[in-house]
Amino acid sequence: MLSDKLVDAINDQIQFEYHSAFIYKSMQAFFETQDLPGMANWMNIQFQEEMSHAEKMFDFICETGNQVVLQGMDNPHRDYTSPLEAFEVALEHEQIVTSRINALMDLAQQEKSHAAQIFLQWFVTEQVEEEATANHIIAKLKRVEGDGRGLIMIDQELAQRTFVPIAADN
Ligand code: FEO
């Protein structure tokens, strides 16, 4: 059902999603050291989201009768000069994810795989939300730069984030 080229490309993206999870878990560790528990929570939820993205692709590869191939990962970055820098790095990372998902969709179209195109549509939509969320937080952080009380308020807001599993019919 899937060409070897498509299986390899989705396998690469599975690896990238797990690596994304690793990056956000490392950002959580950074925020834990900064006494910003809300931002640490936000990064931990992001970690869980990335794990669920990887798992969704993992299941798709298995369901189509193919094998997932996992590889080692590079060490994630661990130090940031400010909360703003960490979220800017997160946004840059999501922009890379978006371009990778778009390239996967292009490949699925070239390979005429309707199943892969329908499957990837969920990720195309998800990336719009991922970038918008990061942009929104960056805008707020820029507004309060240097204002400790403002930072605490953003931290309290980000503490409210909870993990919502991907619906089974998605
Ligand atoms: Fe799995 Fe944040 O993209």
Side-chain angles (χ1 to χ4, degrees):
M1 188 204 259
L2 299 181
S3 68
D4 289 348
K5 220 170 158 180
L6 210 35
V7 171
D8 289 348
I10 296 173
N11 257 325
D12 274 355
Q13 188 58 28
I14 290 172
Q15 188 72 22
F16 203 81
E17 298 288 345
Y18 280 127
H19 188 59
S20 302
F22 206 36
I23 288 170
Y24 289 122
K25 198 67 181 168
S26 183
M27 286 184 176
Q28 178 194 351
F30 165 74
F31 281 117
E32 299 285 2
T33 69
Q34 302 297 303
D35 290 325
L36 290 166
M39 294 188 194
N41 170 68
W42 194 93
M43 289 298 173
N44 188 36
I45 302 299
Q46 192 67 15
F47 158 77
Q48 293 175 64
E49 281 209 355
E50 299 305 342
M51 290 296 287
S52 72
H53 296 168
E55 298 291 309
K56 186 174 171 69
M57 289 186 182
F58 192 112
D59 292 347
F60 181 68
I61 289 293
C62 296
E63 280 165 11
T64 52
N66 297 289
Q67 184 169 359
V68 172
V69 180
L70 299 176
Q71 296 166 45
M73 287 189 274
D74 294 336
N75 294 342
H77 191 68
R78 64 177 195 198
D79 289 316
Y80 300 92
T81 55
S82 65
L84 177 60
E85 191 202 9
F87 277 95
E88 283 176 336
V89 170
L91 174 61
E92 281 166 24
H93 185 78
E94 288 307 323
Q95 288 167 338
I96 293 169
V97 176
T98 300
S99 64
R100 291 178 64 102
I101 295 292
N102 289 342
L104 267 181
M105 181 61 101
D106 289 345
L107 182 62
Q109 287 168 351
Q110 283 160 26
E111 301 284 307
K112 298 186 176 14
S113 172
H114 294 189
Q117 287 175 54
I118 291 166
F119 172 74
L120 290 166
Q121 190 58 55
W122 184 90
F123 288 91
V124 172
T125 307
E126 173 71 3
Q127 280 313 118
V128 174
E129 190 192 312
E130 291 273 70
E131 286 194 31
T133 306
N135 264 315
H136 190 57
I137 297 169
I138 287 168
K140 283 188 176 176
L141 286 170
K142 281 184 174 167
R143 219 171 291 148
V144 305
E145 237 180 340
D147 170 10
R149 267 190 310 181
L151 190 64
I152 297 296
M153 282 177 72
I154 295 173
D155 192 62
Q156 286 170 346
E157 184 190 327
L158 299 187
Q160 306 305 315
R161 189 183 189 194
T162 55
F163 176 63
V164 180
I166 300 171
D169 57 354
N170 262 317

Short mmCIF file of all heavy atoms in Angstrom, two decimals, residues 83-128:
data_model
loop_
_atom_site.label_atom_id
_atom_site.label_comp_id
_atom_site.label_asym_id
_atom_site.label_seq_id
_atom_site.Cartn_x
_atom_site.Cartn_y
_atom_site.Cartn_z
N PRO A 83 13.34 32.81 29.03
CA PRO A 83 12.15 32.07 28.57
C PRO A 83 11.83 32.41 27.11
O PRO A 83 11.46 31.52 26.34
CB PRO A 83 11.05 32.58 29.52
CG PRO A 83 11.77 32.97 30.77
CD PRO A 83 13.08 33.54 30.29
N LEU A 84 12.00 33.69 26.76
CA LEU A 84 11.70 34.09 25.38
C LEU A 84 12.56 33.31 24.39
O LEU A 84 12.05 32.81 23.38
CB LEU A 84 11.94 35.61 25.22
CG LEU A 84 11.74 36.17 23.81
CD1 LEU A 84 10.31 35.93 23.32
CD2 LEU A 84 12.08 37.67 23.78
N GLU A 85 13.84 33.17 24.68
CA GLU A 85 14.72 32.44 23.76
C GLU A 85 14.26 31.00 23.61
O GLU A 85 14.22 30.45 22.50
CB GLU A 85 16.17 32.48 24.22
CG GLU A 85 17.10 31.96 23.11
CD GLU A 85 18.44 31.45 23.58
OE1 GLU A 85 18.67 31.30 24.79
OE2 GLU A 85 19.27 31.15 22.70
N ALA A 86 13.87 30.37 24.73
CA ALA A 86 13.43 28.97 24.65
C ALA A 86 12.19 28.85 23.76
O ALA A 86 12.11 27.94 22.91
CB ALA A 86 13.12 28.45 26.06
N PHE A 87 11.24 29.76 23.91
CA PHE A 87 10.02 29.67 23.08
C PHE A 87 10.32 30.03 21.62
O PHE A 87 9.66 29.51 20.71
CB PHE A 87 8.90 30.53 23.68
CG PHE A 87 8.16 29.80 24.78
CD1 PHE A 87 8.51 29.98 26.10
CD2 PHE A 87 7.15 28.90 24.48
CE1 PHE A 87 7.86 29.28 27.12
CE2 PHE A 87 6.48 28.19 25.48
CZ PHE A 87 6.84 28.39 26.81
N GLU A 88 11.30 30.91 21.41
CA GLU A 88 11.66 31.22 20.01
C GLU A 88 12.30 29.99 19.35
O GLU A 88 12.04 29.71 18.18
CB GLU A 88 12.60 32.43 19.97
CG GLU A 88 11.84 33.73 20.18
CD GLU A 88 12.73 34.98 20.24
OE1 GLU A 88 13.92 34.85 20.57
OE2 GLU A 88 12.21 36.07 19.98
N VAL A 89 13.10 29.26 20.12
CA VAL A 89 13.70 28.02 19.59
C VAL A 89 12.58 27.00 19.31
O VAL A 89 12.60 26.29 18.30
CB VAL A 89 14.75 27.46 20.58
CG1 VAL A 89 15.20 26.06 20.17
CG2 VAL A 89 15.96 28.39 20.65
N ALA A 90 11.59 26.96 20.22
CA ALA A 90 10.46 26.04 20.02
C ALA A 90 9.72 26.38 18.72
O ALA A 90 9.36 25.49 17.94
CB ALA A 90 9.52 26.10 21.21
N LEU A 91 9.51 27.68 18.49
CA LEU A 91 8.81 28.09 17.25
C LEU A 91 9.63 27.71 16.02
O LEU A 91 9.08 27.16 15.05
CB LEU A 91 8.54 29.60 17.26
CG LEU A 91 7.94 30.15 15.95
CD1 LEU A 91 6.59 29.51 15.64
CD2 LEU A 91 7.82 31.67 16.00
N GLU A 92 10.93 27.98 16.07
CA GLU A 92 11.79 27.62 14.91
C GLU A 92 11.71 26.12 14.66
O GLU A 92 11.68 25.67 13.51
CB GLU A 92 13.25 28.00 15.20
CG GLU A 92 13.53 29.48 15.00
CD GLU A 92 14.88 29.90 15.62
OE1 GLU A 92 15.76 29.03 15.77
OE2 GLU A 92 15.03 31.08 15.96
N HIS A 93 11.67 25.37 15.75
CA HIS A 93 11.59 23.91 15.60
C HIS A 93 10.27 23.52 14.94
O HIS A 93 10.24 22.67 14.04
CB HIS A 93 11.73 23.24 16.97
CG HIS A 93 11.77 21.76 16.87
ND1 HIS A 93 12.91 21.06 16.48
CD2 HIS A 93 10.81 20.82 17.05
CE1 HIS A 93 12.63 19.78 16.44
NE2 HIS A 93 11.38 19.60 16.78
N GLU A 94 9.18 24.15 15.38
CA GLU A 94 7.88 23.82 14.79
C GLU A 94 7.82 24.21 13.31
O GLU A 94 7.16 23.55 12.51
CB GLU A 94 6.75 24.49 15.57
CG GLU A 94 6.50 23.87 16.94
CD GLU A 94 6.28 22.36 16.89
OE1 GLU A 94 5.65 21.86 15.93
OE2 GLU A 94 6.78 21.66 17.80
N GLN A 95 8.51 25.29 12.94
CA GLN A 95 8.53 25.69 11.52
C GLN A 95 9.25 24.62 10.69
O GLN A 95 8.85 24.33 9.56
CB GLN A 95 9.20 27.06 11.39
CG GLN A 95 8.29 28.17 11.92
CD GLN A 95 9.00 29.50 12.11
OE1 GLN A 95 10.24 29.55 12.25
NE2 GLN A 95 8.25 30.58 12.16
N ILE A 96 10.29 24.02 11.28
CA ILE A 96 10.97 22.92 10.58
C ILE A 96 10.03 21.73 10.45
O ILE A 96 9.93 21.10 9.39
CB ILE A 96 12.27 22.51 11.34
CG1 ILE A 96 13.29 23.65 11.28
CG2 ILE A 96 12.87 21.23 10.77
CD1 ILE A 96 14.49 23.47 12.20
N VAL A 97 9.31 21.42 11.54
CA VAL A 97 8.35 20.30 11.48
C VAL A 97 7.33 20.55 10.37
O VAL A 97 7.03 19.65 9.57
CB VAL A 97 7.62 20.10 12.83
CG1 VAL A 97 6.56 19.01 12.71
CG2 VAL A 97 8.60 19.76 13.94
N THR A 98 6.82 21.78 10.30
CA THR A 98 5.82 22.10 9.27
C THR A 98 6.38 21.83 7.88
O THR A 98 5.70 21.22 7.04
CB THR A 98 5.40 23.59 9.39
OG1 THR A 98 4.84 23.79 10.68
CG2 THR A 98 4.36 23.95 8.33
N SER A 99 7.62 22.27 7.63
CA SER A 99 8.17 22.07 6.28
C SER A 99 8.38 20.58 6.01
O SER A 99 8.19 20.11 4.89
CB SER A 99 9.45 22.87 6.08
OG SER A 99 10.45 22.41 6.95
N ARG A 100 8.70 19.82 7.05
CA ARG A 100 8.89 18.38 6.86
C ARG A 100 7.55 17.69 6.58
O ARG A 100 7.47 16.78 5.73
CB ARG A 100 9.54 17.77 8.11
CG ARG A 100 10.99 18.18 8.33
CD ARG A 100 11.54 17.56 9.60
NE ARG A 100 11.57 16.12 9.49
CZ ARG A 100 12.67 15.40 9.24
NH1 ARG A 100 13.84 16.00 9.10
NH2 ARG A 100 12.61 14.09 9.15
N ILE A 101 6.50 18.11 7.29
CA ILE A 101 5.17 17.52 7.05
C ILE A 101 4.70 17.87 5.64
O ILE A 101 4.14 17.02 4.91
CB ILE A 101 4.15 18.02 8.10
CG1 ILE A 101 4.53 17.54 9.52
CG2 ILE A 101 2.72 17.60 7.74
CD1 ILE A 101 4.41 16.07 9.78
N ASN A 102 4.93 19.11 5.22
CA ASN A 102 4.54 19.52 3.87
C ASN A 102 5.29 18.70 2.82
O ASN A 102 4.71 18.29 1.80
CB ASN A 102 4.79 21.02 3.65
CG ASN A 102 3.81 21.87 4.44
OD1 ASN A 102 2.78 21.38 4.88
ND2 ASN A 102 4.15 23.12 4.64
N ALA A 103 6.58 18.44 3.07
CA ALA A 103 7.37 17.64 2.13
C ALA A 103 6.85 16.19 2.08
O ALA A 103 6.81 15.57 1.02
CB ALA A 103 8.84 17.66 2.53
N LEU A 104 6.41 15.70 3.25
CA LEU A 104 5.84 14.34 3.29
C LEU A 104 4.55 14.30 2.47
O LEU A 104 4.29 13.33 1.74
CB LEU A 104 5.51 13.95 4.73
CG LEU A 104 6.55 13.20 5.55
CD1 LEU A 104 6.00 12.92 6.94
CD2 LEU A 104 6.95 11.89 4.87
N MET A 105 3.75 15.34 2.61
CA MET A 105 2.48 15.39 1.86
C MET A 105 2.78 15.46 0.36
O MET A 105 2.11 14.78 -0.44
CB MET A 105 1.66 16.60 2.31
CG MET A 105 0.33 16.74 1.61
SD MET A 105 -0.77 15.32 1.87
CE MET A 105 -1.86 15.99 3.13
N ASP A 106 3.78 16.25 -0.03
CA ASP A 106 4.17 16.33 -1.45
C ASP A 106 4.55 14.94 -1.97
O ASP A 106 4.15 14.53 -3.06
CB ASP A 106 5.37 17.27 -1.64
CG ASP A 106 5.01 18.73 -1.42
OD1 ASP A 106 3.81 19.05 -1.41
OD2 ASP A 106 5.94 19.54 -1.25
N LEU A 107 5.31 14.21 -1.15
CA LEU A 107 5.76 12.87 -1.56
C LEU A 107 4.56 11.92 -1.67
O LEU A 107 4.47 11.14 -2.64
CB LEU A 107 6.78 12.33 -0.54
CG LEU A 107 7.37 10.96 -0.86
CD1 LEU A 107 8.16 10.97 -2.17
CD2 LEU A 107 8.27 10.48 0.28
N ALA A 108 3.65 12.01 -0.72
CA ALA A 108 2.45 11.14 -0.76
C ALA A 108 1.65 11.41 -2.03
O ALA A 108 1.08 10.49 -2.63
CB ALA A 108 1.60 11.38 0.49
N GLN A 109 1.62 12.68 -2.45
CA GLN A 109 0.90 13.02 -3.69
C GLN A 109 1.64 12.48 -4.91
O GLN A 109 1.02 11.90 -5.81
CB GLN A 109 0.71 14.54 -3.77
CG GLN A 109 -0.34 15.03 -2.79
CD GLN A 109 -0.36 16.55 -2.62
OE1 GLN A 109 0.51 17.26 -3.11
NE2 GLN A 109 -1.37 17.04 -1.90
N GLN A 110 2.98 12.64 -4.91
CA GLN A 110 3.77 12.12 -6.04
C GLN A 110 3.60 10.61 -6.16
O GLN A 110 3.53 10.06 -7.26
CB GLN A 110 5.25 12.43 -5.83
CG GLN A 110 5.67 13.85 -6.12
CD GLN A 110 7.00 14.19 -5.44
OE1 GLN A 110 7.82 13.31 -5.18
NE2 GLN A 110 7.20 15.45 -5.13
N GLU A 111 3.55 9.94 -5.01
CA GLU A 111 3.47 8.48 -5.00
C GLU A 111 2.02 8.00 -5.16
O GLU A 111 1.74 6.80 -5.09
CB GLU A 111 4.04 7.93 -3.68
CG GLU A 111 5.48 8.29 -3.40
CD GLU A 111 6.49 7.49 -4.22
OE1 GLU A 111 6.42 6.26 -4.19
OE2 GLU A 111 7.33 8.12 -4.90
N LYS A 112 1.11 8.96 -5.30
CA LYS A 112 -0.32 8.66 -5.47
C LYS A 112 -0.87 7.77 -4.35
O LYS A 112 -1.65 6.84 -4.59
CB LYS A 112 -0.58 8.03 -6.84
CG LYS A 112 -0.22 8.93 -8.02
CD LYS A 112 -0.65 8.29 -9.31
CE LYS A 112 -0.45 9.11 -10.57
NZ LYS A 112 0.36 10.28 -10.57
N SER A 113 -0.40 8.01 -3.12
CA SER A 113 -0.91 7.24 -1.99
C SER A 113 -2.03 8.03 -1.32
O SER A 113 -1.80 8.97 -0.57
CB SER A 113 0.20 6.97 -0.97
OG SER A 113 -0.38 6.39 0.19
N HIS A 114 -3.25 7.64 -1.61
CA HIS A 114 -4.41 8.33 -1.02
C HIS A 114 -4.44 8.11 0.49
O HIS A 114 -4.76 9.01 1.25
CB HIS A 114 -5.70 7.84 -1.67
CG HIS A 114 -5.81 8.21 -3.11
ND1 HIS A 114 -6.95 8.04 -3.86
CD2 HIS A 114 -4.90 8.77 -3.95
CE1 HIS A 114 -6.75 8.46 -5.09
NE2 HIS A 114 -5.51 8.90 -5.17
N ALA A 115 -4.09 6.90 0.91
CA ALA A 115 -4.10 6.59 2.35
C ALA A 115 -3.14 7.50 3.10
O ALA A 115 -3.49 8.05 4.16
CB ALA A 115 -3.73 5.13 2.57
N ALA A 116 -1.95 7.69 2.56
CA ALA A 116 -0.96 8.54 3.24
C ALA A 116 -1.40 10.00 3.23
O ALA A 116 -1.21 10.72 4.21
CB ALA A 116 0.41 8.38 2.58
N GLN A 117 -2.00 10.43 2.14
CA GLN A 117 -2.45 11.83 2.08
C GLN A 117 -3.53 12.10 3.13
O GLN A 117 -3.48 13.12 3.82
CB GLN A 117 -3.01 12.14 0.69
CG GLN A 117 -1.93 12.25 -0.38
CD GLN A 117 -2.52 12.42 -1.77
OE1 GLN A 117 -3.31 13.32 -2.02
NE2 GLN A 117 -2.12 11.56 -2.69
N ILE A 118 -4.47 11.18 3.24
CA ILE A 118 -5.54 11.36 4.25
C ILE A 118 -4.93 11.32 5.65
O ILE A 118 -5.26 12.14 6.51
CB ILE A 118 -6.63 10.28 4.07
CG1 ILE A 118 -7.40 10.55 2.77
CG2 ILE A 118 -7.59 10.27 5.27
CD1 ILE A 118 -8.27 9.41 2.30
N PHE A 119 -4.01 10.40 5.86
CA PHE A 119 -3.36 10.29 7.16
C PHE A 119 -2.60 11.57 7.51
O PHE A 119 -2.69 12.10 8.62
CB PHE A 119 -2.39 9.09 7.14
CG PHE A 119 -1.54 9.00 8.37
CD1 PHE A 119 -2.08 8.59 9.58
CD2 PHE A 119 -0.19 9.36 8.34
CE1 PHE A 119 -1.29 8.53 10.73
CE2 PHE A 119 0.60 9.30 9.47
CZ PHE A 119 0.04 8.88 10.68
N LEU A 120 -1.86 12.11 6.55
CA LEU A 120 -1.02 13.29 6.81
C LEU A 120 -1.81 14.57 6.97
O LEU A 120 -1.31 15.54 7.56
CB LEU A 120 0.01 13.45 5.68
CG LEU A 120 1.11 12.38 5.67
CD1 LEU A 120 1.88 12.42 4.34
CD2 LEU A 120 2.08 12.57 6.84
N GLN A 121 -3.04 14.57 6.48
CA GLN A 121 -3.86 15.78 6.59
C GLN A 121 -3.98 16.24 8.05
O GLN A 121 -3.95 17.44 8.35
CB GLN A 121 -5.26 15.52 5.99
CG GLN A 121 -6.11 16.77 5.85
CD GLN A 121 -5.44 17.82 4.97
OE1 GLN A 121 -5.07 17.53 3.84
NE2 GLN A 121 -5.25 19.02 5.49
N TRP A 122 -4.12 15.28 8.96
CA TRP A 122 -4.24 15.62 10.39
C TRP A 122 -3.00 16.41 10.85
O TRP A 122 -3.11 17.40 11.59
CB TRP A 122 -4.38 14.35 11.23
CG TRP A 122 -4.60 14.65 12.68
CD1 TRP A 122 -5.79 14.83 13.32
CD2 TRP A 122 -3.57 14.83 13.69
NE1 TRP A 122 -5.57 15.13 14.64
CE2 TRP A 122 -4.23 15.13 14.90
CE3 TRP A 122 -2.18 14.77 13.67
CZ2 TRP A 122 -3.53 15.36 16.09
CZ3 TRP A 122 -1.49 15.02 14.85
CH2 TRP A 122 -2.16 15.30 16.04
N PHE A 123 -1.83 16.02 10.37
CA PHE A 123 -0.58 16.68 10.79
C PHE A 123 -0.45 18.07 10.17
O PHE A 123 0.10 18.98 10.79
CB PHE A 123 0.63 15.81 10.43
CG PHE A 123 0.76 14.59 11.30
CD1 PHE A 123 0.17 13.39 10.94
CD2 PHE A 123 1.44 14.65 12.51
CE1 PHE A 123 0.25 12.27 11.76
CE2 PHE A 123 1.54 13.54 13.33
CZ PHE A 123 0.95 12.35 12.96
N VAL A 124 -0.96 18.23 8.95
CA VAL A 124 -0.93 19.55 8.31
C VAL A 124 -1.74 20.53 9.16
O VAL A 124 -1.28 21.64 9.47
CB VAL A 124 -1.51 19.48 6.87
CG1 VAL A 124 -1.67 20.87 6.28
CG2 VAL A 124 -0.61 18.62 5.97
N THR A 125 -2.91 20.10 9.59
CA THR A 125 -3.78 20.95 10.42
C THR A 125 -3.14 21.20 11.78
O THR A 125 -3.16 22.33 12.29
CB THR A 125 -5.15 20.26 10.60
OG1 THR A 125 -5.66 19.94 9.32
CG2 THR A 125 -6.14 21.15 11.34
N GLU A 126 -2.56 20.16 12.35
CA GLU A 126 -1.93 20.27 13.67
C GLU A 126 -0.81 21.31 13.66
O GLU A 126 -0.64 22.07 14.61
CB GLU A 126 -1.39 18.89 14.08
CG GLU A 126 -0.56 18.85 15.36
CD GLU A 126 -1.38 19.06 16.63
OE1 GLU A 126 -2.61 19.18 16.54
OE2 GLU A 126 -0.77 19.13 17.71
N GLN A 127 -0.05 21.36 12.56
CA GLN A 127 1.08 22.29 12.51
C GLN A 127 0.63 23.75 12.51
O GLN A 127 1.34 24.62 13.02
CB GLN A 127 1.99 21.98 11.32
CG GLN A 127 2.93 20.82 11.56
CD GLN A 127 3.65 20.88 12.90
OE1 GLN A 127 3.48 20.01 13.73
NE2 GLN A 127 4.44 21.92 13.12
N VAL A 128 -0.54 24.01 11.94
CA VAL A 128 -1.06 25.39 11.97
C VAL A 128 -1.24 25.79 13.43
O VAL A 128 -0.84 26.88 13.86
CB VAL A 128 -2.40 25.49 11.20
CG1 VAL A 128 -3.01 26.88 11.36
CG2 VAL A 128 -2.20 25.15 9.72
#
